[in-house]
Amino acid sequence: MDLTPRPGATPPPPGQAYVPHAYPQPYRHPLPETPVETTTRLRPIRTRHPIRTATAAACVVLGLGLIGGAATGAWLTSASSADPAAHSTYTVGRSAWHSVPVDTLFPRTLNGDGAGPGGADRVWTRVGVAPDSGCTPALDPLLARTLGQVGCERMLRATYTDATSSSVTTVGVIFTEGDTEAMRALSTRFTDQHLDRRTDLMPRTYPVKGTVAAGFGDRQRASWTVHVLTEAPVVVFAVSGFADGRTVTDPQPVAKAMAANATTAAAQAGLGHEAKGIADRIERGLHRTITDLTEKPE
């Protein structure tokens, strides 16, 4: 065997014999490098202890409960604020004396379609509005004591005259401190004891200087009405008289002054219709206002 190295072959290292190959070995490229891992190796997870597992589960349940409770509370709060029943007519009505504009409570002009004797139409014009006050200075002492069982939050009054300026009428709204039960009890007392017919429980007038109502005092009172509301903490009253300042010796409550067989001067002049017509329209307007405020809470 020829042991002479082939031309171009690499000589063997010292001390080693040259081993011939039948064919030269081809050059092999090295395998490509594996890309570097970008995912961080997760640390081994220890086996959970049963107590730790239970504690974690309890925390999850508690957290969900708090979240659910908060969401439920928010929903209930939203629902209650949107519920008209939650926004009580008594709460709204008691504060209406300072939140309702005076022209809404006492319009400058009142239309009394069919409110006069025999269904005749009436138109009343406001001649003055009294400053808001307590009840004691504006009511006869006995009437003030009678209404005292429901308390007096505030009282507002205005005086109107008819289209002919021959009659004048003071209408008042008393905002009370009473609740539903107290207002119902007072209404029942007025009805059962006929307190709305007693001359010693007549409301007082509000004379307005420089107007046709300038001489409208206590001695000019001719007909009156007092109505205790039960759907709101309010008492509405009205008292009418002649614009010429004449003294009236036989005043009548509206029920008698409006009777078909009534013959007094007040009845013949329709002063019972004046008091009732104005009181009814002020009461209706107040009722609408309170209802609107109740259905649209602040």
Side-chain angles (χ1 to χ4, degrees), residues 150-188:
V150 293
C152 177
E153 178 73 20
R154 214 63 179 161
M155 182 171 69
L156 302 177
R157 295 178 295 164
T159 296
Y160 287 83
T161 186
D162 68 333
T164 63
S165 297
S166 60
S167 67
V168 286
T169 302
T170 293
V171 59
V173 180
I174 300 172
F175 298 89
T176 77
E177 300 169 350
D179 56 13
T180 306
E181 183 178 353
M183 294 302 294
R184 288 177 177 172
L186 181 61
S187 177
T188 300

Side-chain angles (χ1 to χ4, degrees), residues 29-85:
H29 294 280
L31 295 176
E33 295 183 0
T34 303
V36 179
E37 293 286 346
T38 58
T39 304
T40 303
R41 179 179 294 180
L42 300 178
R43 59 188 177 87
I45 299 177
R46 299 178 181 178
T47 303
R48 291 187 179 275
H49 194 280
I51 296 178
R52 292 179 179 176
T53 302
T55 302
C59 290
V60 171
V61 173
L62 179 60
L64 292 175
L66 291 174
I67 294 173
T72 302
W75 179 83
L76 288 175
T77 301
S78 175
S80 64
S81 63
D83 184 2

Side-chain angles (χ1 to χ4, degrees), residues 40-269:
T40 303
R41 179 179 294 180
L42 300 178
R43 59 188 177 87
I45 299 177
R46 299 178 181 178
T47 303
R48 291 187 179 275
H49 194 280
I51 296 178
R52 292 179 179 176
T53 302
T55 302
C59 290
V60 171
V61 173
L62 179 60
L64 292 175
L66 291 174
I67 294 173
T72 302
W75 179 83
L76 288 175
T77 301
S78 175
S80 64
S81 63
D83 184 2
H87 206 55
S88 170
T89 56
Y90 270 66
T91 301
V92 174
R94 190 169 289 112
S95 62
W97 70 269
H98 61 76
S99 61
V100 178
V102 66
D103 287 344
T104 299
L105 184 61
F106 300 124
R108 294 180 181 274
T109 302
L110 289 173
N111 293 318
D113 296 341
D121 295 337
R122 284 287 191 267
V123 176
W124 299 286
T125 302
R126 193 183 73 196
V127 296
V129 178
D132 63 278
S133 67
C135 291
T136 302
L139 298 178
D140 280 344
L142 185 56
L143 180 57
R145 287 198 299 270
T146 302
L147 298 179
Q149 71 180 75
V150 293
C152 177
E153 178 73 20
R154 214 63 179 161
M155 182 171 69
L156 302 177
R157 295 178 295 164
T159 296
Y160 287 83
T161 186
D162 68 333
T164 63
S165 297
S166 60
S167 67
V168 286
T169 302
T170 293
V171 59
V173 180
I174 300 172
F175 298 89
T176 77
E177 300 169 350
D179 56 13
T180 306
E181 183 178 353
M183 294 302 294
R184 288 177 177 172
L186 181 61
S187 177
T188 300
R189 182 183 176 193
F190 260 78
T191 301
D192 292 348
Q193 299 179 16
H194 305 293
L195 300 184
D196 55 343
R197 302 180 186 180
R198 289 176 49 170
T199 56
D200 56 353
L201 294 179
M202 271 195 298
R204 283 181 173 170
T205 66
Y206 172 58
V208 184
K209 295 180 180 180
T211 71
V212 295
F216 188 32
D218 289 348
R219 299 179 64 186
Q220 284 69 44
R221 292 178 292 184
S223 187
W224 78 97
T225 179
V226 179
H227 184 205
V228 179
L229 279 65
T230 57
E231 64 274 14
V234 172
V235 176
V236 177
F237 67 83
V239 55
S240 61
F242 294 100
D244 59 10
R246 76 182 72 173
T247 299
V248 178
T249 58
D250 52 353
Q252 290 183 313
V254 295
K256 290 185 176 181
M258 293 175 62
N261 58 350
T263 58
T264 63
Q268 294 294 317

Side-chain angles (χ1 to χ4, degrees), residues 272-284:
H273 291 79
E274 300 291 303
K276 180 172 173 45
I278 291 177
D280 284 351
R281 278 146 186 82
I282 296 301
E283 180 180 323
R284 292 173 195 170

